[in-house]
Amino acid sequence: MAFNIIVCAKQVPDTNVIKINPKTGTLIRDGVPSILNNDDANALEQALQIKDKFDDVKVTVITMGPPQANDLLFECIAKGADEGILVSDRAVGGSDTWATSNTLEAAIRRWVKDNGDYNLIFTGRQAIDGDTAQVGPQLAEKLGIPQVSYVEEFEIDEDRKTVTVKRQLEDGYELIEVALPCLLTTIKELNTPRYMTVAGIYGNKEMKTWNAKDIEVDLTKVGLEASPTNVFRSFTPAPKQPGVKIEGDTENAQAKNLLIKLKGKHVI
Ligand SMILES: Cc1cc2nc3c(=O)[nH]c(=O)nc-3n(C[C@H](O)[C@H](O)[C@H](O)COP(=O)(O)OP(=O)(O)OC[C@H]3O[C@@H](n4cnc5c(N)ncnc54)[C@H](O)[C@@H]3O)c2cc1C
């Protein structure tokens, strides 16, 4: 049986280009190019590196989104993935993270029915538009498998029963050994994503589209109505004021100048 890896990837607007409408506070998505979410490119790259190392690896990319998310699947396949699945249905449109992870869970359970068990699931740490970093951990919870987030180094043992990962923390790191199957969320330090290849672009690999019925998802748990989160307002934070350098030849002089400035601002 193949060693099955599932990568969940999201098509996102290129945030280098996107702007916020100052009047409505909503994102101006019109005319903005869509890209493979950055962390998801690292997730796919890690899956492909395992495929490079072992003979019998199958990499499947699953995305939930509108029909144009097929472009993302095309790109992932052109980089080396074996299969791409788009989950697209009006019923799942407007989903928040909870509803998104319900949809992805249902899609993965459908995939298992067709293909047998998966060994590893990768997601990115977070999407550059939603930025919540919730979908990966929620998905692992719903599937009942162990998870490690913020993975910056990865090693798989030769018999592929466990993986050892380095997990980034704010002030250090953790080295964790996890039994498979598990879900890992990846960050940019993990690897450098590869480019598409000509063979990949012209290859003949499978792309499927599933609707809500295909994945037998509970319709009361997906879509806008079922989503418990509401975006109240989006805005661009005001740029920070430049800092002030406190001058003085000695530490005492600097401290004195600092006190003068604070007094001037009536802070003390
Ligand atoms: C009320 C409401 C309505 C919304 N309506 C829409 C909408 O109509 N269209 C829309 O695009 N967004 C919509 N969103 C945003 C949506 O909630 C999030 O984009 C989505 O749930 C993923 O959350 P995130 O972007 O924070 O992902 P994160 O949790 O930051 O993503 C982590 C990782 O999960 C995986 N992942 C996340 N989303 C997907 C996906 N769709 N397919 C595959 N893998 C994925 C990726 O690997 C990603 O790196 C809505 C949000 C709210 C609150």
Side-chain angles (χ1 to χ4, degrees), residues 75-107:
E75 178 180 343
C76 294
I77 285 174
K79 287 182 175 199
D82 297 288
E83 180 187 38
I85 299 170
L86 169 66
V87 181
S88 196
D89 197 302
R90 277 183 187 280
V92 300
S95 290
D96 68 357
T97 60
W98 181 76
T100 300
S101 56
N102 287 337
T103 308
L104 292 173
E105 178 204 2

Coordinates of all heavy atoms in Angstrom, one line a residue, residues 75-107:
E75 N -0.9 24.1 -10.2 CA 0.4 24.5 -9.7 C 1.1 23.4 -8.9 O 2.2 23.0 -9.1 CB 0.4 25.8 -9.0 CG 1.7 26.2 -8.5 CD 1.7 27.6 -7.7 OE1 0.7 28.3 -7.8 OE2 2.7 27.8 -7.0
C76 N 0.3 22.8 -7.9 CA 0.8 21.8 -7.0 C 1.2 20.5 -7.8 O 2.2 19.9 -7.6 CB -0.2 21.5 -5.9 SG -0.5 22.8 -4.8
I77 N 0.3 20.2 -8.8 CA 0.6 19.0 -9.6 C 1.9 19.3 -10.5 O 2.7 18.4 -10.6 CB -0.6 18.6 -10.4 CG1 -1.6 18.0 -9.5 CG2 -0.3 17.7 -11.6 CD1 -3.0 17.7 -10.1
A78 N 2.0 20.5 -11.0 CA 3.1 20.8 -11.8 C 4.4 20.8 -11.0 O 5.5 20.7 -11.5 CB 2.9 22.2 -12.5
K79 N 4.3 20.9 -9.7 CA 5.5 20.8 -8.8 C 5.8 19.4 -8.5 O 6.9 19.1 -8.0 CB 5.3 21.6 -7.5 CG 5.3 23.1 -7.7 CD 5.1 23.9 -6.4 CE 5.3 25.3 -6.6 NZ 5.6 26.1 -5.4
G80 N 4.8 18.5 -8.6 CA 5.1 17.1 -8.4 C 4.0 16.3 -7.6 O 4.2 15.1 -7.4
A81 N 2.9 17.0 -7.2 CA 1.8 16.3 -6.5 C 1.2 15.3 -7.4 O 1.2 15.5 -8.7 CB 0.8 17.2 -5.9
D82 N 0.6 14.2 -6.9 CA 0.0 13.1 -7.7 C -1.4 13.4 -8.1 O -1.9 13.0 -9.1 CB 0.1 11.8 -7.0 CG 1.5 11.4 -6.8 OD1 2.2 11.0 -7.7 OD2 2.0 11.5 -5.6
E83 N -2.1 14.1 -7.2 CA -3.6 14.3 -7.3 C -4.0 15.6 -6.7 O -3.4 16.0 -5.7 CB -4.2 13.1 -6.6 CG -5.7 13.0 -6.6 CD -6.2 11.9 -5.7 OE1 -5.7 11.7 -4.6 OE2 -7.2 11.3 -6.1
G84 N -5.0 16.2 -7.3 CA -5.5 17.4 -6.7 C -7.1 17.3 -6.6 O -7.7 16.9 -7.5
I85 N -7.6 17.7 -5.4 CA -9.0 17.7 -5.2 C -9.5 19.0 -4.8 O -9.0 19.6 -3.8 CB -9.4 16.6 -4.2 CG1 -9.0 15.2 -4.6 CG2 -10.9 16.6 -3.9 CD1 -9.0 14.2 -3.6
L86 N -10.5 19.6 -5.6 CA -11.1 20.8 -5.2 C -12.5 20.5 -4.6 O -13.3 19.8 -5.2 CB -11.3 21.7 -6.5 CG -12.2 22.9 -6.3 CD1 -11.5 23.9 -5.4 CD2 -12.5 23.6 -7.7
V87 N -12.7 21.1 -3.4 CA -14.0 21.0 -2.8 C -14.7 22.3 -3.0 O -14.2 23.3 -2.5 CB -13.9 20.6 -1.3 CG1 -15.3 20.5 -0.7 CG2 -13.1 19.4 -1.1
S88 N -15.7 22.3 -3.8 CA -16.3 23.5 -4.2 C -17.9 23.4 -4.2 O -18.4 22.5 -4.9 CB -15.8 24.0 -5.6 OG -16.1 25.3 -5.8
D89 N -18.5 24.2 -3.5 CA -20.0 24.2 -3.5 C -20.5 25.5 -2.8 O -19.9 25.9 -1.9 CB -20.4 23.0 -2.6 CG -21.9 22.6 -2.8 OD1 -22.7 23.5 -2.6 OD2 -22.1 21.4 -3.2
R90 N -21.6 26.0 -3.3 CA -22.1 27.2 -2.7 C -22.4 27.0 -1.2 O -22.3 27.9 -0.4 CB -23.5 27.6 -3.4 CG -23.2 28.4 -4.7 CD -24.5 28.8 -5.3 NE -24.2 29.4 -6.6 CZ -23.8 30.7 -6.8 NH1 -23.6 31.4 -5.7 NH2 -23.5 31.1 -8.0
A91 N -22.8 25.8 -0.9 CA -23.1 25.5 0.5 C -22.0 25.7 1.5 O -22.2 26.0 2.6 CB -23.6 24.0 0.6
V92 N -20.7 25.6 1.0 CA -19.6 25.8 1.9 C -19.0 27.2 1.8 O -18.1 27.6 2.6 CB -18.5 24.7 1.7 CG1 -19.0 23.3 1.9 CG2 -17.8 24.9 0.3
G93 N -19.5 28.0 0.9 CA -19.1 29.4 0.7 C -19.3 30.2 2.0 O -20.3 30.0 2.6
G94 N -18.4 31.1 2.3 CA -18.6 32.0 3.5 C -18.2 31.3 4.8 O -18.5 31.8 5.8
S95 N -17.6 30.1 4.7 CA -17.2 29.4 5.9 C -16.2 30.1 6.7 O -15.2 30.6 6.1 CB -16.7 28.0 5.5 OG -17.8 27.2 5.0
D96 N -16.3 30.1 8.0 CA -15.2 30.6 8.9 C -14.2 29.4 9.1 O -14.4 28.3 8.5 CB -15.7 31.2 10.1 CG -16.4 30.2 11.1 OD1 -16.5 29.0 10.7 OD2 -16.8 30.6 12.2
T97 N -13.3 29.5 10.0 CA -12.3 28.4 10.2 C -13.0 27.2 10.7 O -12.6 26.1 10.3 CB -11.2 28.8 11.2 OG1 -11.9 29.1 12.5 CG2 -10.5 30.1 10.8
W98 N -13.9 27.3 11.6 CA -14.6 26.1 12.1 C -15.3 25.3 11.0 O -15.2 24.1 10.9 CB -15.6 26.5 13.2 CG -16.4 25.4 13.8 CD1 -15.9 24.5 14.8 CD2 -17.7 25.0 13.6 NE1 -16.9 23.7 15.2 CE2 -18.0 23.9 14.5 CE3 -18.7 25.5 12.8 CZ2 -19.3 23.3 14.5 CZ3 -20.0 24.9 12.8 CH2 -20.2 23.8 13.6
A99 N -16.1 26.1 10.2 CA -16.8 25.5 9.1 C -15.8 24.9 8.0 O -16.1 23.9 7.4 CB -17.8 26.4 8.5
T100 N -14.7 25.7 7.8 CA -13.7 25.2 6.8 C -13.1 23.9 7.3 O -13.0 22.9 6.5 CB -12.6 26.3 6.7 OG1 -13.1 27.5 6.2 CG2 -11.5 25.8 5.7
S101 N -12.8 23.8 8.6 CA -12.2 22.5 9.0 C -13.2 21.4 9.0 O -12.9 20.2 8.8 CB -11.5 22.6 10.4 OG -12.4 23.1 11.3
N102 N -14.5 21.7 9.2 CA -15.5 20.7 9.0 C -15.6 20.1 7.6 O -15.7 18.9 7.4 CB -16.9 21.2 9.4 CG -17.1 21.4 10.9 OD1 -16.4 20.8 11.7 ND2 -18.0 22.3 11.3
T103 N -15.4 21.1 6.7 CA -15.5 20.7 5.2 C -14.2 19.8 4.9 O -14.4 18.8 4.2 CB -15.5 22.0 4.4 OG1 -16.5 22.8 4.8 CG2 -15.7 21.6 2.9
L104 N -13.1 20.3 5.3 CA -11.9 19.5 5.0 C -11.9 18.2 5.7 O -11.4 17.2 5.1 CB -10.6 20.3 5.4 CG -10.4 21.6 4.6 CD1 -9.2 22.4 5.3 CD2 -10.1 21.3 3.2
E105 N -12.4 18.1 6.9 CA -12.5 16.8 7.6 C -13.4 15.9 6.7 O -13.0 14.7 6.5 CB -13.2 17.0 9.0 CG -13.3 15.7 9.7 CD -14.4 15.7 10.7 OE1 -15.1 16.7 10.9 OE2 -14.6 14.6 11.4
A106 N -14.5 16.4 6.3 CA -15.4 15.5 5.5 C -14.7 15.1 4.2 O -14.9 13.9 3.7 CB -16.7 16.3 5.2
A107 N -14.0 16.0 3.6 CA -13.3 15.7 2.3 C -12.2 14.6 2.6 O -12.1 13.7 1.7 CB -12.7 16.9 1.7

